[in-house]
Amino acid sequence: MIGYLRFIGAAMAMLPCAATLAADPTGFAAAADAKATIALLDQSMKPGQGFAWRPLVRGGEAVAAIEIWKAPGHPAIHPAEAEYSTVLDGEGTLVSGGTLADAHLVKPGLVEGSRIEGGTTRMLKPGDVFLIPAGTPHWFGITGPRLVLLGTKLPQQPTGDAAAPR
């Protein structure tokens, strides 16, 4: 019996303690969570609404969210956030880089403009992955009924040219 208790004690010592488990900063969402969030956004979008966004997981200041685009928005820059995205459903276009024309501050963290001059156009389809550095102009076009992204905003310190709209 004492040998068994020593074995159990040794096995327990190898397991993470409750304090370690509670301190785990990992954000996690199962595939079912992502599907449910997409369905919820689809149901909640009103006729004519072009965009909906809902957080899926958070980690510190970073947030991964489901984005549904049914109409294009304005070309934009996030001066202090990089944007890492995966196309989950639908098709569209991404225009990025270049210069944001008629740039104006909409709210802290968001600069919008009328168009992007000299950007690169890429076709988007499910499975595509892209990373837009902080301070980079970008715009999404929608070529079907919707474009669904898993978008992650990654806070960054703006440096040099990234601090100013392009």
Side-chain angles (χ1 to χ4, degrees):
M1 178 68 148
I2 293 179
Y4 175 74
L5 292 175
R6 282 189 186 142
F7 169 76
I8 294 297
M12 295 293 284
M14 293 189 320
L15 293 174
C17 69
T20 301
L21 291 176
D24 181 3
T26 303
F28 177 80
D33 299 326
K35 288 179 184 177
T37 300
I38 293 168
L40 178 69
L41 283 173
D42 269 337
Q43 292 172 355
S44 67
M45 288 182 80
K46 307 213 181 328
Q49 182 178 348
F51 175 76
W53 177 93
R54 184 175 181 102
L56 193 59
V57 293
R58 294 180 185 272
E61 293 181 32
V63 60
I66 299 293
E67 300 178 15
I68 296 182
W69 294 84
K70 292 187 176 180
H74 296 285
I77 291 175
H78 306 287
E81 292 177 317
E83 190 168 349
Y84 171 78
S85 296
T86 301
V87 179
L88 300 178
D89 190 39
E91 296 183 353
T93 55
L94 165 66
V95 178
S96 60
T99 302
L100 185 64
D102 306 317
H104 61 279
L105 184 66
V106 173
K107 62 182 182 180
L110 178 61
V111 175
E112 290 183 345
S114 62
R115 66 191 176 285
I116 294 175
E117 297 172 347
T120 301
T121 301
R122 296 171 179 87
M123 300 307 296
L124 298 175
K125 62 185 181 317
D128 288 348
V129 176
F130 54 90
L131 175 64
I132 302 168
T136 302
H138 59 285
W139 175 83
F140 299 106
I142 316 309
T143 57
R146 69 180 190 169
L147 177 64
V148 181
L149 304 175
L150 174 61
T152 304
K153 302 282 196 216
L154 303 167
Q156 316 241 308
Q157 289 290 72
T159 58
D161 290 341
R166 295 182 221 189

